[in-house]
Amino acid sequence: MLDKIKQFASEFFVTGDPLILGAQVSIGLSMIAMIFVLSYFRKWGWLWREWLTSVDHKRIGIMYIICSIMMLFRGGVDALLMRLQLAMPNSQFLQAEHYNQIFTTHGVIMILFMAMPLMFGLFNIVVPLQIGARDVAYPFLNSLSFWMFFWGAMLFNVSFVIGGSPDAGWLSYPPLSELSHSPGVGQNFYIWGIQISGIGSLATGINFIVTILKMRAPGMKLMKMPMFTWSVFSSCIMIIFAFPILTVTLALLFLDRFLGAHFFTLDGGGNPMMYINLIWMWGHPEVYIVVIPAFGIFSEIVSTFSKKKLFGYKSMVFAMLIISLLSFFTWAHHFFTMGSGADVNAFFAISTMLIAIPTGAKVFNWLFTMFRGKIRFSTPMMWTIAFIPCFVIGGMTGVLLSVAPADFQFHNSYFLIAHFHQVLIGGVAFGYFAGLYYWWPKMFGFKLNEHLGKWAFWTWNIGFYVCFMPQYFLGLDGMTRRTYTYDFDMGWGPLNLVSTVGGFLMGVGFIFQVWQIAHSIKFREPDVTGDPWDGRTLEWSIPSPAPIYNFAVLPEVNEADAWWEQKQKQSLSAKQPAKIVYEPIHMPKNSSIPFLMSALWFFAGFGFVFNWMWLTIPALIGVAITMIARSFSYDTDYYIPADEVKRTEAALKGAKV
Amino acid sequence: MKKRTLVQAMLPFMMVAIIILLAGCSNQAMVLDPKGPVGAEQRDLIVISSILCAIILVPVLVLTAWIVWRYRDKEGNKASYKPNWSHSTSLEIVWWAVPIIIIVALAVITIRYTYALEPSKPLKSNKPPVTIQVTSLDWKWLFTYPEQGIATVNYLQIPEDTPIKFELTSDAPMNSFWIPQLGGQIYTMSGMAMTLYLQADEIGHYFGTGANFSGAHFADMTFDVNATSQKDFEAFIAKTKKVPTKLTMESYEALAKPGKSGVQYFSSVPDGLFQKIVTKYTNGQSIHSGHVSSESVKETSKPQSTDKTAPMNHNDHSQMKMTK
């Protein structure tokens, strides 16, 4: 009996690696610490009522952002471990298997559990405020989306201490990801972690499309929406077309592994190529899904900090929509070298290059927004300015990669690694950092420390170039991606060492950011204006942090820069605004069902991972029960009385000395 | 003042970085130092497309720096400020048109090169091509020389100035066969035979590698490509024919089991081994998606006298594609 338990434990927990043991111990200790702190300060009820069951889009947004910063830490540690291993030739720091797990989890986490939630966090916080709405269209679904993401991410993350991480690459091509070549549970974690959170992403996409189409303030025609809202809209359109493909693909892979189906195995009539086609039909739009909202953020920031209207609004919208469309015609450029033939390669080479045209036009529009403006160098603007050269260079190397016959030399090499990190860090990460700095006061009511922010900015930026520029040369010198070691006589050592130094410099940048947040919380200076950057869009017209109902009175809109316009008018006419009449506000009630249902999905997924039907079946029954419970709950909303709105507003105005 | 100390602190890092980067550039990177016609054309294409991109890139970088400097919000900056100037049709036409022109130029070049460098297109040469069959295994490369009847593992010897017709497949998760100095890579996939023509113009040792991740010991799938004179190549064949180890179906099965391997030589190869490897995955799928395997197998099976096992399918479409 004892032997059995021991054997089970040795398979269940990942053992034998000092790094992982250290992680296990620190995870255990920090969990104990968390439980202790929450109990000591009696915050369990507060946590449950105010956060875990909240359907308020602003709270959900904040929870997304917290999770994504945690995941940035984890993905970043993965990256630094890889860079340490590659710093020297013939390094013995990591074993091959461990290295393979690390690059797989690094890719999955950074794209799906870092970039996506950071993006959703900003969607949640900003979009309803920008369009003058009181919440998203489906607040309950919004909460469910968040918790599906959260529990999916947790399921994926536990793989590294329990059972073992996936190690077949972030897109898990079969046959490597099939049972025959990856018999462990790692791939099951991959499938279910992504599947559960992917359902949340799809729901978010639907939610925000409806929100943007149906919840805009009176007068806000589509062509008067702020650019960030437009970018969210085009990103969500891509989500609703791309994510179902991912869901189906992973479901088929699961059937292969679980039921012995043969969708992607050659024996039995399947075809691995089908998986590769499907996964990239999702995967390539996915990178545009995460980068388009960054374009929206840059547009807002460039305009605000140049004190000038956004240049070329209409062509910006058009460019974004055309990118959304073109992104679905590029997937085959991921396998130019798989023998598709010249016809197919030529078609996809050109459809890929075409994306450079609208993207280029957007860059010029940003530049000409600054042209004849007054540029202030606050941290959000600094990230935006740094983004332009970084993204333009990364975009150009992307065009080089799209030249099909040249891609035969770039494919799978470090040139490719350098390219996509340049567009994803220079575009997405820089963009979301800029957005985070920009909207931080709206979330929490105080600004982040600018001085530490500039330190973070410079270390990140210098680190970035030191890390990734050498990788272009390594790629041209024949170094392939995912290789865990190389011989001394390849001559790749020095450049890899430089790259590692750059990676750690970015790590220092992250530490500065954490320090910046901690410092700003401790020495916070409340923003009493609600409009610390002299903003242009509606979110700056209300106090920060925004009250639960956002707008006491729904605003009327005539222009894209609605708040700017209002400010101009107010300064022109000295007369007092008419007396405001408050009305009761209709609000959704909190619900514990999203949290519980997603937690049950976690257990169902965990059961599938280990093939424990005794866990999966009850958990799935539980999911069904929560759904039924929700469909029978009629007490889902309430009204905030006009008096209370009036009192809250008076208090908020009182705070505005 | 504080900003200056930051820059000072960064200086040593940046100096070291720049020096090493420059050192890296001065050693020719493999891809930019090709030793064969395919690699040379790819290098030319990389250079041409880089120049085309630079036509946009450099002005944009200069313009960015200038605008940011010129319009900074600083006391005494006399640059004009027009807060509502947000549209100019003529300017927008310019910056939509310029990228369109560049992309059209690049597209024309890309199409030309895509057809010219189609990997299954034979290279122009007065010498007949030498066929080498490549099989990626877990985690090693098997090279068989069907005309010479020998095989090697993780070592490739080829005659210089002669087109080499590589026929590639996989008996493991897919990989990618890449010899950077000779030309671009191509995937090796089970149940499918691909063709790639390469040629070495000079005698020398070239680095070959597997480029697509295929599992645990993927990093060990590198091989030496030794381009020699025709005479030395023939000597290598004769010498290999005398080694005592023969590749039989049994020893192949053992070799195909997951594991690393050093260099190995075999003096003989079972009849139609390569075709057997390709077709072993096609049982059960030939009815549904036969073209995946059969078109390529047909292509590869043509020049071989030893091939009696491969199915001879008639697929005119694929024939057209291959000869384009």
Side-chain angles (χ1 to χ4, degrees):
Chain A
M1 184 66 192
L2 198 66
D3 283 348
K4 263 191 176 169
I5 293 171
K6 256 189 192 165
Q7 200 205 338
F8 169 76
S10 72
E11 280 169 17
F12 188 71
F13 292 108
V14 179
T15 51
D17 188 299
L19 283 172
I20 291 182
L21 185 68
Q24 281 163 332
V25 170
S26 55
I27 288 172
L29 288 177
S30 45
M31 279 171 93
I32 292 167
M34 250 160 58
I35 292 169
F36 176 78
V37 169
L38 285 168
S39 309
Y40 186 82
F41 292 102
R42 302 179 183 216
K43 288 288 188 190
W44 286 104
W46 164 82
L47 186 68
W48 179 257
R49 281 189 310 273
E50 301 278 315
W51 293 93
L52 303 191
T53 62
S54 175
V55 293
D56 179 3
H57 68 95
K58 301 175 286 291
R59 298 246 154 132
I60 290 171
I62 289 168
M63 289 192 287
Y64 266 122
I65 287 169
I66 292 171
C67 290
S68 107
I69 291 172
M70 305 286 223
M71 290 293 104
L72 177 60
F73 174 72
R74 199 219 141 158
V77 170
D78 280 348
L80 295 184
L81 290 174
M82 284 190 281
R83 279 314 328 163
L84 268 182
Q85 164 68 17
L86 291 175
M88 303 281 173
N90 298 321
S91 170
Q92 299 293 317
F93 175 59
L94 296 174
Q95 296 305 306
E97 288 82 355
H98 196 179
Y99 186 86
N100 299 344
Q101 295 182 346
I102 288 177
F103 73 66
T104 302
T105 52
H106 170 74
V108 173
I109 284 176
M110 285 303 203
I111 293 282
L112 288 163
F113 301 134
M114 191 287 275
M116 290 292 276
L118 195 45
M119 172 177 104
F120 288 150
L122 293 171
F123 282 16
N124 263 292
I125 285 157
V126 180
V127 170
L129 299 181
Q130 257 193 351
I131 62 174
R134 293 212 162 107
D135 207 325
V136 295
Y138 308 117
F140 174 86
L141 185 68
N142 197 23
S143 167
L144 184 63
S145 298
F146 169 73
W147 289 110
M148 291 296 273
F149 147 72
F150 176 83
W151 286 108
M154 288 304 109
L155 183 61
F156 186 85
N157 271 279
V158 296
S159 70
F160 110 100
V161 286
I162 293 175
S165 296
D167 62 356
W170 83 279
L171 288 178
S172 287
Y173 284 3
L176 194 58
S177 58
E178 293 278 2
L179 211 50
S180 51
H181 292 89
S182 297
V185 294
Q187 285 308 313
N188 298 344
F189 275 118
Y190 173 91
I191 290 171
W192 283 99
I194 295 177
Q195 194 71 292
I196 291 170
S197 68
I199 294 167
S201 304
L202 179 59
T204 304
I206 296 167
N207 209 340
F208 277 86
I209 285 184
V210 180
T211 304
I212 291 168
L213 288 180
K214 303 295 281 185
M215 309 274 287
R216 277 168 290 137
M220 188 183 276
K221 301 222 171 66
L222 279 178
M223 289 310 278
K224 285 178 180 157
M225 288 198 307
M227 194 50 63
F228 179 69
T229 302
W230 259 117
S231 71
V232 173
F233 187 66
S234 39
S235 173
C236 287
I237 290 175
M238 286 188 274
I239 288 177
I240 61 167
F241 283 102
F243 269 78
I245 308 176
L246 176 69
T247 306
V248 170
T249 312
L250 292 177
L252 296 180
L253 184 62
F254 168 69
L255 292 177
D256 273 11
R257 290 179 62 90
F258 189 73
L259 294 179
H262 293 284
F263 289 105
F264 306 128
T265 61
L266 278 173
D267 49 327
N271 191 341
M273 263 324 280
M274 188 162 77
Y275 180 94
I276 297 168
N277 273 294
L278 286 170
I279 199 84
W280 279 117
M281 278 181 207
W282 160 78
H284 205 86
E286 166 67 11
V287 299
Y288 291 98
I289 287 171
V290 293
V291 84
I292 287 268
F295 291 172
I297 294 169
F298 294 129
S299 304
E300 300 291 344
I301 290 174
V302 155
S303 165
T304 301
F305 290 90
S306 307
K307 266 199 161 181
K308 191 159 162 283
K309 254 187 166 168
L310 184 67
F311 200 89
Y313 179 92
K314 279 183 192 161
S315 75
M316 289 294 245
V317 172
F318 175 71
M320 236 152 34
L321 293 178
I322 211 112
I323 293 171
S324 306
L325 180 73
L326 285 176
S327 73
F328 283 91
F329 294 93
T330 60
W331 83 89
H333 73 224
H334 293 271
F335 33 94
F336 279 152
T337 65
M338 275 187 200
S340 323
D343 297 342
V344 172
N345 280 2
F347 175 84
F348 281 96
I350 289 160
S351 62
T352 303
M353 286 173 195
L354 286 180
I355 292 188
I357 297 169
T359 314
K362 290 182 82 68
V363 171
F364 282 108
N365 278 328
W366 288 318
L367 286 178
F368 276 78
T369 307
M370 292 193 265
F371 186 76
R372 293 181 183 164
K374 277 184 186 295
I375 305 171
R376 276 174 294 155
F377 296 96
S378 305
T379 41
M381 187 61 175
M382 290 185 70
W383 287 98
T384 305
I385 293 170
F387 146 83
I388 291 176
C390 194
F391 195 79
V392 171
I393 297 169
M396 288 300 170
T397 55
V399 172
L400 295 183
L401 281 160
S402 75
V403 177
D407 180 64
F408 279 68
Q409 289 282 29
F410 299 136
H411 193 74
N412 275 332
S413 78
Y414 261 75
F415 190 92
L416 164 83
I417 303 289
H419 156 71
F420 76 70
H421 281 92
Q422 184 149 23
V423 284
L424 283 173
I425 295 179
V428 179
F430 284 15
Y432 294 174
F433 288 161
L436 203 56
Y437 286 123
Y438 183 57
W439 282 302
W440 186 276
K442 194 45 65 186
M443 293 182 231
F444 300 105
F446 61 93
K447 273 205 227 179
L448 286 173
N449 182 295
E450 289 276 292
H451 179 66
L452 284 168
K454 281 176 183 163
W455 276 84
F457 171 84
W458 286 108
T459 37
W460 259 103
N461 268 275
I462 295 169
F464 172 83
Y465 287 98
V466 175
C467 183
F468 290 104
M469 291 301 119
Q471 295 186 5
Y472 283 115
F473 294 100
L474 285 169
L476 291 174
D477 206 13
M479 183 161 160
T480 54
R481 70 194 298 196
R482 292 169 177 174
T483 180
Y484 82 102
T485 190
Y486 53 90
D487 273 340
F488 180 79
D489 48 1
M490 294 310 300
W492 298 333
L495 284 177
N496 269 302
L497 184 63
V498 173
S499 181
T500 302
V501 169
F504 275 85
L505 216 49
M506 286 194 278
V508 173
F510 178 76
I511 292 171
F512 271 121
Q513 287 178 309
V514 174
W515 181 9
Q516 180 190 12
I517 292 173
H519 183 274
S520 312
I521 291 173
K522 198 170 172 197
F523 301 103
R524 76 184 120 190
E525 292 162 28
D527 159 44
V528 290
T529 60
D531 184 14
W533 308 113
D534 197 7
R536 310 176 70 85
T537 39
L538 281 177
E539 72 268 32
W540 305 110
S541 69
I542 53 173
S544 350
I548 183 143
Y549 47 77
N550 297 351
F551 295 89
V553 178
L554 289 183
E556 294 248 3
V557 176
N558 304 308
E559 245 192 87
D561 294 341
W563 174 234
W564 183 256
E565 187 204 9
Q566 228 171 301
K567 282 194 284 191
Q568 300 299 90
K569 273 189 191 157
Q570 272 170 13
S571 66
L572 286 178
S573 65
K575 79 170 187 214
Q576 290 292 313
K579 198 168 165 8
I580 303 161
V581 183
Y582 295 106
E583 281 171 10
I585 295 174
H586 185 210
M587 295 299 288
K589 265 192 181 165
N590 284 0
S591 170
S592 59
I593 288 176
F595 181 83
L596 296 176
M597 192 198 287
S598 315
L600 287 164
W601 266 113
F602 172 87
F603 288 109
F606 197 80
F608 274 127
V609 167
F610 283 94
N611 211 343
W612 291 345
M613 287 306 112
W614 56 263
L615 181 61
T616 298
I617 292 167
L620 286 178
I621 292 171
V623 169
I625 291 172
T626 53
M627 283 188 195
I628 293 166
R630 173 66 185 178
S631 66
F632 282 99
S633 59
Y634 299 105
D635 182 25
T636 56
D637 47 359
Y638 70 106
Y639 278 90
I640 304 177
D643 283 353
E644 197 183 323
V645 177
K646 200 173 169 183
R647 254 179 287 132
T648 315
E649 286 293 302
L652 287 166
K653 295 236 167 79
K656 283 198 231 171
V657 181
Chain B
M1 202 61 205
K2 280 279 160 61
K3 209 182 281 173
R4 183 173 292 165
T5 53
L6 170 67
V7 174
Q8 279 168 350
M10 290 301 159
L11 264 177
F13 279 116
M14 293 176 66
M15 292 299 282
V16 171
I18 288 165
I19 288 164
I20 296 175
L21 273 176
L22 290 176
C25 299
S26 63
N27 289 338
Q28 276 278 37
M30 285 183 198
V31 168
L32 303 179
D33 182 26
K35 301 292 184 196
V38 178
E41 285 205 48
Q42 283 167 334
R43 192 242 354 242
D44 293 348
L45 180 59
I46 289 171
V47 171
I48 294 167
S49 45
S50 302
I51 291 170
L52 276 173
C53 285
I55 291 175
I56 286 210
L57 179 65
V58 173
V60 167
L61 294 182
V62 173
L63 190 66
T64 309
W66 179 74
I67 287 178
V68 169
W69 176 253
R70 183 78 185 83
Y71 295 98
R72 70 202 188 284
D73 184 18
K74 206 181 163 195
E75 263 179 66
N77 187 352
K78 292 198 186 74
S80 66
Y81 171 54
K82 293 192 174 172
N84 290 318
W85 183 66
S86 64
H87 179 72
S88 159
T89 309
S90 48
L91 275 175
E92 293 221 34
I93 287 172
V94 171
W95 61 65
W96 279 87
V98 174
I100 288 175
I101 293 165
I102 300 272
I103 294 296
V104 166
L106 197 58
V108 170
I109 295 166
T110 302
I111 293 172
R112 287 222 175 135
Y113 273 89
T114 303
Y115 285 100
L117 287 174
E118 164 61 34
S120 60
K121 203 177 114 174
L123 296 175
K124 282 199 189 90
S125 171
N126 44 16
K127 291 184 195 164
V130 172
T131 301
I132 297 177
Q133 293 161 334
V134 180
T135 308
S136 63
L137 300 170
D138 269 346
W139 291 282
K140 59 197 90 67
W141 291 95
L142 172 65
F143 303 108
T144 52
Y145 297 66
E147 288 146 11
Q148 290 78 12
I150 60 158
T152 58
V153 169
N154 288 348
Y155 174 79
L156 193 55
Q157 186 158 340
I158 55 172
E160 61 153 344
D161 260 339
T162 311
I164 311 293
K165 182 187 184 192
F166 289 106
E167 296 173 0
L168 309 103
T169 192
S170 176
D171 199 1
M174 69 172 76
N175 211 305
S176 190
F177 174 81
W178 189 26
I179 307 168
Q181 286 190 285
L182 300 190
Q185 62 194 284
I186 199 133
Y187 274 78
T188 58
M189 293 181 278
S190 317
M192 183 166 176
M194 306 268 271
T195 309
L196 171 68
Y197 280 90
L198 293 177
Q199 178 178 319
D201 287 340
E202 286 175 31
I203 290 172
H205 285 270
Y206 305 114
F207 170 70
T209 186
N212 190 60
F213 180 65
S214 62
H217 293 287
F218 151 74
D220 297 300
M221 292 182 71
T222 57
F223 53 92
D224 179 30
V225 183
N226 187 8
T228 60
S229 65
Q230 183 67 30
K231 217 175 95 190
D232 286 349
F233 178 69
E234 277 155 18
F236 156 74
I237 302 291
K239 203 176 127 202
T240 310
K241 277 202 166 298
K242 289 195 193 109
V243 298
T245 40
K246 291 174 191 289
L247 191 63
T248 60
M249 276 322 284
E250 292 72 43
S251 60
Y252 171 75
E253 295 298 337
L255 184 70
K257 290 217 168 77
K260 296 192 270 186
S261 167
V263 174
Q264 297 185 44
Y265 303 91
F266 300 98
S267 53
S268 78
V269 184
D271 270 0
L273 172 67
F274 185 77
Q275 281 68 30
K276 276 182 194 152
I277 297 169
V278 174
T279 50
K280 91 182 216 192
Y281 288 96
T282 59
N283 302 334
Q285 78 148 6
S286 51
I287 303 163
H288 305 292
S289 53
H291 77 277
V292 172
S293 54
S294 57
E295 76 177 47
S296 319
V297 168
K298 183 193 174 193
E299 169 69 16
T300 61
S301 61
K302 260 194 303 182
Q304 278 136 33
S305 52
T306 50
D307 170 36
K308 296 199 175 61
T309 51
M312 293 294 284
N313 291 318
H314 297 280
N315 191 333
D316 290 332
H317 172 73
S318 68
Q319 187 67 21
M320 271 165 56
K321 197 173 100 184
M322 291 301 182
T323 51
K324 211 175 263 171

